[in-house]
Amino acid sequence: METEQKKKIILAVIALCVISLLAGLIYAHRERQKEQPTVMPYQDTTDPVKAADQLKLSDDSARAVTREIYHIQQTQPTPQVTYYVQAPDLTSGAETVARDIQEDKPSVPAAARGKTDRTVVTADHDRQKVDVYKVNLRKPHKIKVGAMTTGDKTYIGAGYQYGRWEGMLYTRTGRKVEAGSITYTVKEW
């Protein structure tokens, strides 16, 4: 009986490794895809409905992104990076910047070429400049797997996280839930 339990645990660990390997391969494939910047009219960058449509965002994410862009536009902070491109007008300048980011040209500063969830390029006609916004979306849904040991017993677990809340269920045999946990993240940085 004990060797049969060890076999089940080994199989569960192997399955966990295979799932982790597949997830890693999928993640690596996504990272290799070229950045697809979106050129948007300046006034659309603060409109959640238009941003959701053009950037393919959920309503909540679009509101958060447009709120941050609006805040940046109103406070006019010093740009993180400044560089110049030759273009006949601002609109074609924005398209040139977007194309250069997509082609990962070395003339584009690293801050603008960095990989993010979304890249917004917009021409600010009032200030005669092109802005690039790098957007990292918060991903509130997460599926987790893991292992836990207590004394001489090993449990395999699966869980779900939404925002700051996380729940895990653990089993030794795979037939019934033998332990569980719920946690809340108090601080993020």
Side-chain angles (χ1 to χ4, degrees), residues 37-46 54 69 73 85 87-98 101 119-133:
T38 302
V39 179
M40 292 177 63
Y42 188 76
Q43 64 274 13
D44 289 358
T45 60
T46 56
Q54 292 180 33
I69 290 175
Q73 290 172 350
V85 294
D89 58 35
L90 281 174
T91 303
S92 59
E95 291 169 2
T96 299
V97 169
I101 291 171
T119 299
V120 177
V121 180
T122 185
D124 182 350
H125 293 280
D126 293 339
R127 296 185 187 95
Q128 292 295 302
K129 65 178 184 160
V130 173
D131 292 330
V132 177
Y133 299 100

Side-chain angles (χ1 to χ4, degrees), residues 54-106:
Q54 292 180 33
L55 298 173
K56 297 172 184 63
L57 297 172
S58 69
D59 291 341
D60 289 341
S61 293
R63 277 193 296 277
V65 167
T66 55
R67 184 177 33 241
E68 287 299 315
I69 290 175
Y70 178 78
H71 174 72
I72 291 168
Q73 290 172 350
Q74 296 306 308
T75 58
Q76 299 178 21
T78 304
Q80 213 176 27
V81 175
T82 301
Y83 83 106
Y84 299 91
V85 294
Q86 294 290 327
D89 58 35
L90 281 174
T91 303
S92 59
E95 291 169 2
T96 299
V97 169
R99 188 174 44 255
D100 290 352
I101 291 171
Q102 183 175 0
E103 294 172 0
D104 200 25
K105 289 193 174 178

Side-chain angles (χ1 to χ4, degrees), residues 138-184:
R138 189 164 189 227
K139 295 165 182 73
H141 300 277
K142 297 175 182 142
I143 296 176
K144 301 186 170 205
V145 293
M148 172 179 74
T149 62
T150 59
D152 62 341
K153 296 179 181 177
T154 302
Y155 296 87
I156 303 299
Y160 172 75
Q161 180 177 345
Y162 177 75
R164 292 179 172 222
W165 289 96
E166 177 181 339
M168 292 285 290
L169 298 175
Y170 297 94
T171 181
R172 288 187 62 207
T173 62
R175 294 188 181 135
K176 65 179 184 171
V177 174
E178 298 178 57
S181 68
I182 295 177
T183 59
Y184 178 78

